[in-house]
Amino acid sequence: MTERRGDTLLFHTPPVIAAQAAVGGKKESDGPLAAGFDELTTDNRLGQCSWEAAEKQLQLRAARLCLQKASLPAERVDLALAGDLQAQCTASGYALRELGVPFAGLFGACSTMAEALALGAALCSSGAAQNLLAMTSSHFCAAERQFRTPLSYGAVRTPTAQWTATAAGCCLLRPAGQGVGIAAATLGRVQDYNIKDINNMGAAMAPAAAATLLHYLADTHAELRDFDCIYTGDLGLVGSQMLRELLAAEGLLLKNHADCGCLLYDAGEQRVKSGGSGAGCCAAVLCAHILPKLLRRGSRRVLFLATGALMSQTTFLQKESIPAVAHLVELTAPEKES
């Protein structure tokens, strides 16, 4: 049964994440979460002729590894909810062309993984799907070429800039059973604080994270202290500080917070400026770090709050501001087997 309360869906019988997989590239293999990945490569082209084709391979490998871990053939997947940063979500479309399962494309920029989990949980809870894949990806080189400048240009990165992850994450959702539970989901509202700097995504996205979290707290009457950790993705160092300031203005002190963009890389050693970003960043951190911690009950109850900047290369050139959205899912550790 699913109950709607404000902007939040409460799943009284929580759907579960039955399996997950994370795949990453060279920079991810040098980062602090490397040991949690299912597969890492030092070849960011993954043997392909283009960065875009390489990203398709990232997503395809994550999906196949996830299904392999669940011992589930692709033929039994009812639906894949997938998205990425490439125009028209082509990395997802091309990956699902090879996987051959029913596909619905999503775009929420860096918030897409939380969006996929929220919508997937609702579909599983309703009985519309028994085996559902939720997955996203991003690729540093493909994103830089699309949104900023070709790598060969050699542009200097500002301190507020973030490094788009070359990574993918995939989760298998089921209506019930063993796995991390999805207890609730809050779908966000678009926020726009008139930020126009393409190299400061944290400032554009922090208001969306604050707005969705405040809606969730009001809808559920939960308190920040109820959670082992509140994970955002991907605000980076700049956006994380802004989030704390925005919540402090509402009388909330955010102490139990970690950002996926800050967890994926070592900012002091890897020259990623404000941290990581990209649709694959929080997906990979979710699958390589957050879910394993819940599975071993190192955490019992967490919030996964992913943010996305909704601009395009066209709106940026037209001097538009950058709207953002954030989606949230509440995750719970599995019950102990009796």
Side-chain angles (χ1 to χ4, degrees):
M1 176 183 173
T2 303
E3 176 189 351
R4 177 74 186 247
R5 191 181 296 172
D7 291 349
T8 302
L9 300 175
L10 303 176
F11 305 111
H12 294 299
T13 300
V16 299
I17 300 172
Q20 79 278 343
V23 176
K26 175 65 171 69
K27 207 170 194 75
E28 293 68 32
S29 68
D30 295 332
L33 301 185
F37 279 77
D38 295 275
E39 183 178 310
L40 290 163
T41 178
T42 57
D43 173 21
N44 279 351
R45 281 191 183 269
L46 285 87
Q48 304 300 303
C49 62
S50 69
W51 307 123
E52 290 76 14
E55 185 177 345
K56 176 206 74 174
Q57 285 297 118
L58 281 174
Q59 201 165 134
L60 191 58
R61 289 187 186 186
R64 285 175 170 164
L65 283 167
C66 182
L67 292 174
Q68 180 181 332
K69 291 167 75 174
S71 299
L72 185 75
E75 292 76 17
R76 290 183 57 193
V77 174
D78 300 309
L79 179 66
L81 299 176
D84 55 85
L85 301 182
Q86 289 186 36
Q88 288 82 47
C89 291
T90 48
S92 302
Y94 282 48
L96 269 298
R97 178 180 66 181
E98 294 194 30
L99 199 60
V101 305
F103 164 55
L106 302 179
F107 181 78
C110 301
S111 72
T112 305
M113 192 61 181
E115 180 184 5
L117 291 176
L119 295 175
L123 288 167
C124 286
S125 182
S126 73
Q130 297 299 312
N131 293 296
L132 183 145
L133 293 179
M135 58 184 180
T136 63
S137 65
S138 57
H139 194 295
F140 173 77
C141 301
E144 288 296 301
R145 175 154 59 189
Q146 178 170 289
F147 288 107
R148 295 176 184 87
T149 57
L151 299 183
S152 56
Y153 181 74
V156 176
R157 299 173 64 79
T158 67
T160 59
Q162 293 172 245
W163 188 277
T164 304
T166 300
C170 180
C171 293
L172 173 65
L173 274 59
R174 287 176 171 156
Q178 280 299 307
V180 170
I182 302 177
T186 303
L187 294 168
R189 304 175 184 225
V190 175
Q191 307 292 313
D192 192 335
Y193 275 42
N194 203 36
I195 303 297
K196 296 185 177 182
D197 184 358
I198 195 85
N199 291 303
N200 194 354
M201 294 293 99
M205 296 189 296
T212 299
L213 181 56
L214 289 170
H215 276 291
Y216 167 82
L217 295 174
D219 293 342
T220 62
H221 306 296
E223 298 183 17
L224 296 178
R225 64 186 179 187
D226 295 336
F227 303 95
D228 295 304
C229 191
I230 296 169
Y231 294 97
T232 54
D234 311 294
L235 297 177
L237 296 169
V238 173
S240 293
Q241 180 59 34
M242 288 189 65
L243 174 63
R244 289 189 284 269
E245 292 171 1
L246 288 167
L247 293 176
E250 299 291 334
L252 297 174
L253 188 59
L254 184 61
K255 292 183 177 180
N256 51 340
H257 170 248
D259 184 72
C260 296
C262 298
L263 293 171
L264 185 60
Y265 303 120
D266 182 339
E269 297 292 330
Q270 293 187 278
R271 299 197 300 176
V272 293
K273 301 299 182 181
S274 186
S277 68
C281 179
C282 63
V285 174
L286 173 72
C287 295
H289 176 68
I290 300 172
L291 293 177
K293 193 171 183 179
L294 284 161
L295 286 169
R296 63 176 180 265
R297 299 184 180 87
S299 296
R300 295 302 181 95
R301 188 184 183 197
V302 306
L303 296 180
F304 178 64
L305 174 58
T307 56
L310 302 179
M311 83 296 177
S312 71
Q313 62 270 51
T314 301
T315 58
F316 165 66
L317 292 172
Q318 293 171 342
K319 311 300 182 185
E320 280 274 8
S321 57
I322 303 172
V325 71
H327 304 298
L328 174 154
V329 290
E330 178 188 336
L331 303 174
T332 58
E335 297 292 333
K336 289 185 177 180
E337 296 185 32
S338 57

